[in-house]
Structures are given as structure tokens and as C-alpha cells.
């Protein structure tokens, strides 16, 4: 199994920046795609950004040019650098990791979520 621990959320003013981190631990042979999702109150969870094992990144249109996803394979960690934050970015952010283990095969795992609030 894989455990994900997220950190870096908080309260920030519009135009500010935050960096989210999500570290994977446990028993796995490899990590494939890693990504960040978010869920605002009363809305469905949406994909924010993903990054492949080959470092190919994709973003939802609303964050392009403002957010950057990256990964450190040696630390089994994915990051989300969020700049020029807007009030509409307010949500709980969840990391998602697809990992392979010989016991469970390829399986998706979710972090516990971290709150990001953008407000003056």
C-alpha cells in the first residue's frame, strides 16, 4: 500500500503564492502518473494538473501559466507551485498517485487533502 502526506496549504492573499507537497511512502515498485485535484464547496472534484513518469505535464486551462507541477522521483514527492492565486482557487487540494506494486498491481491513491484559501 501507499500512504500520501500532503503539506503546504494555508491562507494567502490574492496574487500570492503557495507550494503544495505530497510525499508517497509505503511498499511500491514504481510510481507512474502523479497529480493534483481540487474540490471547492458545493462543486465536484476537478483535475488541476498531472505529471507523468517522463515529466510530461498537463494543466486545466484555468491554472495554465500560474501553476507548475513537478516531481522528485528520488523522494517520491510531487509538488504544485501556485502563483498569482485568485479567490476562485480556494478549495481543498488532493494529490493522487498511480503506483505499481507486485501485490496490488497498478492502483490509484489519494492524499488526505490540504485546504487552500485565497482571500484578502
Amino acid at each position: 500500500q501507499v500512504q500520501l502526506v500532503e503539506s503546504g496549504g494555508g491562507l494567502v492573499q490574492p496574487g500570492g503564492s503557495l507550494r503544495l507537497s505530497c510525499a508517497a511512502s509505503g511498499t511500491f515498485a514504481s510510481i507512474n502518473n502523479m497529480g493534483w485535484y481540487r474540490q471547492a464547496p458545493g462543486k465536484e472534484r476537478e483535475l488541476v494538473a498531472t505529471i507523468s513518469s517522463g515529466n510530461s505535464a498537463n494543466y486545466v486551462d484555468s491554472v495554465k501559466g500560474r501553476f507548475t507541477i513537478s516531481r522528485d522521483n528520488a523522494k517520491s514527492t510531487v509538488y504544485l507551485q501556485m502563483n498569482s492565486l485568485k479567490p476562485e482557487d480556494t478549495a481543498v487540494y488532493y494529490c493522487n498517485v498511480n503506483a505499481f506494486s507486485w501485490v496490488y498491481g497498478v492502483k490509484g491513491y489519494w492524499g488526505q487533502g490540504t485546504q487552500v484559501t485565497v482571500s484578502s
Side-chain angles (χ1 to χ4, degrees):
Q1 293 281 36
V2 175
Q3 294 79 44
L4 302 176
V5 177
E6 302 176 18
S7 61
L11 172 64
V12 64
Q13 292 186 343
S17 298
L18 284 174
R19 188 192 194 207
L20 305 183
S21 300
C22 173
S25 63
T27 304
F28 52 88
S30 63
I31 294 178
N32 303 321
N33 287 350
M34 308 178 86
W36 290 94
Y37 292 70
R38 66 186 179 187
Q39 187 166 19
K43 295 187 177 182
E44 294 186 355
R45 189 174 297 188
E46 68 167 350
L47 174 67
V48 176
T50 61
I51 185 166
S52 70
S53 57
N55 281 322
S56 177
N58 288 285
Y59 302 89
V60 66
D61 286 346
S62 59
V63 308
K64 284 181 180 178
R66 300 188 298 121
F67 291 11
T68 302
I69 190 171
S70 62
R71 61 191 287 169
D72 184 334
N73 292 327
K75 297 180 179 180
S76 300
T77 299
V78 61
Y79 305 96
L80 186 68
Q81 178 67 44
M82 304 185 293
N83 299 328
S84 303
L85 282 161
K86 304 176 180 180
E88 51 264 42
D89 295 318
T90 295
V92 178
Y93 284 70
Y94 299 90
C95 71
N96 176 268
V97 167
N98 282 318
F100 171 77
S101 70
W102 294 108
V103 175
Y104 299 105
V106 176
K107 188 176 177 182
Y109 300 87
W110 289 95
Q112 81 281 6
T114 184
Q115 177 70 46
V116 171
T117 302
V118 184
S119 175
S120 55

